[in-house]
Amino acid sequence: QVQLVESGGGLVQAGGSLRLSCAASGNIFSINVMGWSRQAPGKQRELVASFATSGNTNYADSVKGRFTISRDYSKNTVYLQMNSLKPEDTAVYYCFLGDRSGNYWGQGTQVTVSS
């Protein structure tokens, strides 16, 4: 079993910054990808950013240039640095991990951006 523990969410004013962290533990087998998705009220969950073990990164168009994903391979941890936050970034942010045994999700952390 794989556990993902997220931290770093909170309330911030528009234009501010937050840094999310997600630490993975448990029976992890050859991670393929780690990343973040988000779900705003009344909307479907969407991919925010991903970081493949190959080094490839992928971002949603809505966050390009504002968000940066990074990984610490030694700690099985992924980070999401969020700058220039907008009210439309308000959502629950979920960490995910894909390895040889399957896909796993964290419980989510709330990010609220006030205008």
Side-chain angles (χ1 to χ4, degrees), residues 6-112:
E6 300 128 329
S7 61
L11 173 64
V12 65
Q13 288 189 331
S17 298
L18 284 174
R19 187 187 192 216
L20 305 183
S21 300
C22 172
S25 62
N27 296 324
I28 300 169
F29 299 96
S30 184
I31 297 175
N32 295 319
V33 63
M34 294 186 74
W36 297 89
S37 290
R38 68 186 180 187
Q39 187 165 18
K43 294 188 177 182
Q44 290 187 330
R45 190 177 296 192
E46 62 173 352
L47 175 69
V48 176
S50 63
F51 197 132
T53 301
S54 64
N56 291 332
T57 58
N58 186 38
Y59 294 92
D61 288 342
S62 59
V63 307
K64 284 180 181 177
R66 300 188 297 123
F67 291 10
T68 303
I69 190 169
S70 59
R71 276 176 64 177
D72 185 330
Y73 290 85
S74 66
K75 296 180 180 179
N76 288 332
T77 299
V78 65
Y79 306 95
L80 186 67
Q81 178 66 43
M82 305 186 294
N83 299 328
S84 302
L85 283 161
K86 305 175 181 180
E88 50 263 43
D89 294 318
T90 295
V92 177
Y93 284 69
Y94 297 91
C95 171
F96 65 86
L97 177 153
D99 72 358
R100 290 192 299 174
S101 65
N103 299 317
Y104 303 91
W105 295 87
Q107 292 191 333
T109 184
Q110 177 69 45
V111 171
T112 302

